[in-house]
């Protein structure tokens, strides 16, 4: 392969990630236009002090007011990253992060709130805390940035009317997915 061919393939790969990030998927939800900028008044970051809570000693995110089913709570902010275009051998700095959310599996794009983020980085997984999650991550479209992102929503009522909303003071809990915990049990953090 000539040097030129190699360079042109790298550029294409970078462009592919960028174009995936900047293309609105049909099924993405818009961030509601009235969502305030800055700290989110719907939630509070609180230390977890109950000894029966599996994340005791850490923090969690709690509702600052009653939240109805289907409410958009806040965006999941973090460093948006994609694989290095040259596939270089340097270790992936996000591989072991407990704050890294996948945005596009095909392109390997993720949002990592380990070093930078907002309140959403404090949301715990429901396992060992509640019977089921009361919130979920859903992809959003940020019309201002013209960019894909992830948002946190109160679980909707659903057909069975299961989503009951989140009461003021309750912890906001999502499901990280079994893969998150499976990787940690096996000691393989990738
Ligand atoms: C995205 S962080 C959540 C915020 C974290 N509690 C904090 O204070 O920074 C993910 C980490 O929180 C902890 N965690 C979240 N949910 C948990 C659960 N259900 N049981 C045990 N630990 C949990 C684990 O240490 C996990 O790696």
């Amino acid at each position: 392969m000539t040097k030129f061919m190699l360079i042109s393939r790298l550029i294409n790969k970078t462009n592919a990630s960028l174009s995936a990030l900047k293309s609105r998927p049909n099924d993405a939800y818009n961030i509601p236009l009235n969502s305030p900028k800055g700290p989110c008044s719907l939630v509070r970051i609180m230390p977890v002090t109950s000894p029966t809570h599996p994340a005791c000693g850490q923090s969690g995110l709690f509702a600052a007011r009653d939240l109805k089913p289907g409410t958009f709570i806040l965006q999941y902010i973090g460093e948006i990253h994609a694989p290095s275009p040259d596939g270089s051998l340097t270790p992936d700095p996000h591989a072991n992060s407990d704050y890294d959310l996948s945005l596009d599996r095909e392109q390997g794009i993720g949002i990592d709130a380990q070093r930078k983020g907002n309140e959403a980085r404090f949301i715990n997984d429901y396992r060992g805390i509640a019977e089921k999650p009361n919130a979920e991550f859903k992809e959003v479209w940020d019309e201002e940035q013209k960019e894909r992102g992830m948002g946190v929503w109160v679980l909707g009522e659903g057909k069975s009317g299961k989503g009951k909303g989140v009461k003021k003071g309750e912890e906001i809990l999502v499901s990280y997915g079994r893969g998150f915990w499976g990787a940690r049990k096996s000691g393989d953090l990738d």
Side-chain angles (χ1 to χ4, degrees):
M1 188 186 303
T2 66
K3 200 171 172 191
F4 171 76
M5 277 166 74
L6 182 63
I7 289 169
S8 87
R9 278 175 63 171
L10 304 185
I11 291 168
N12 285 343
K13 185 131 189 256
T14 312
N15 282 347
S17 302
L18 196 59
S19 119
L21 184 66
K22 294 287 183 184
S23 307
R24 189 190 195 293
N26 293 334
D27 55 352
Y29 296 83
N30 279 332
I31 295 177
L33 287 174
N34 55 358
S35 302
K37 303 267 178 288
C40 176
S41 62
L42 304 180
V43 293
R44 295 258 181 291
I45 302 163
M46 309 257 282
V48 175
T49 53
S50 163
T52 59
H53 192 299
C56 182
Q58 301 184 7
S59 298
L61 196 68
F62 294 79
R65 61 182 71 169
D66 289 352
L67 303 172
K68 291 197 176 114
T71 304
F72 171 76
I73 308 176
L74 78 174
Q75 195 172 347
Y76 190 89
I77 303 287
E79 290 177 80
I80 299 179
H81 62 92
S84 60
D86 58 357
S88 58
L89 295 173
T90 50
D92 175 0
H94 308 280
N96 294 341
S97 169
D98 281 345
Y99 298 81
D100 194 24
L101 206 55
S102 172
L103 178 61
D104 185 318
R105 285 195 192 283
E106 206 176 303
Q107 293 292 335
I109 304 173
I111 305 174
D112 190 354
Q114 181 156 42
R115 296 192 302 176
K116 300 173 188 171
N118 63 351
E119 301 97 321
R121 73 189 292 288
F122 291 100
I123 297 176
N124 287 318
D125 178 272
Y126 77 99
R127 290 168 179 82
I129 304 170
E131 219 170 276
K132 51 189 170 63
N134 55 22
E136 62 184 333
F137 291 125
K138 285 200 293 199
E139 185 163 346
V140 291
W141 175 251
D142 184 341
E143 185 54 34
E144 221 166 83
Q145 302 295 326
K146 303 268 188 261
E147 200 167 89
R148 292 162 66 187
M150 293 300 282
V152 185
W153 304 72
V154 179
L155 273 186
E157 273 172 320
K159 282 186 196 138
S160 55
K162 272 190 187 152
K164 301 259 183 284
V166 187
K167 290 262 171 270
K168 181 176 176 179
E170 260 177 31
E171 183 168 4
I172 293 165
L173 297 166
V174 297
S175 171
Y176 292 179
R178 269 178 288 163
F180 177 90
W181 298 109
R184 275 147 195 79
K185 261 189 209 141
S186 67
D188 169 13
L189 296 178
D190 295 338

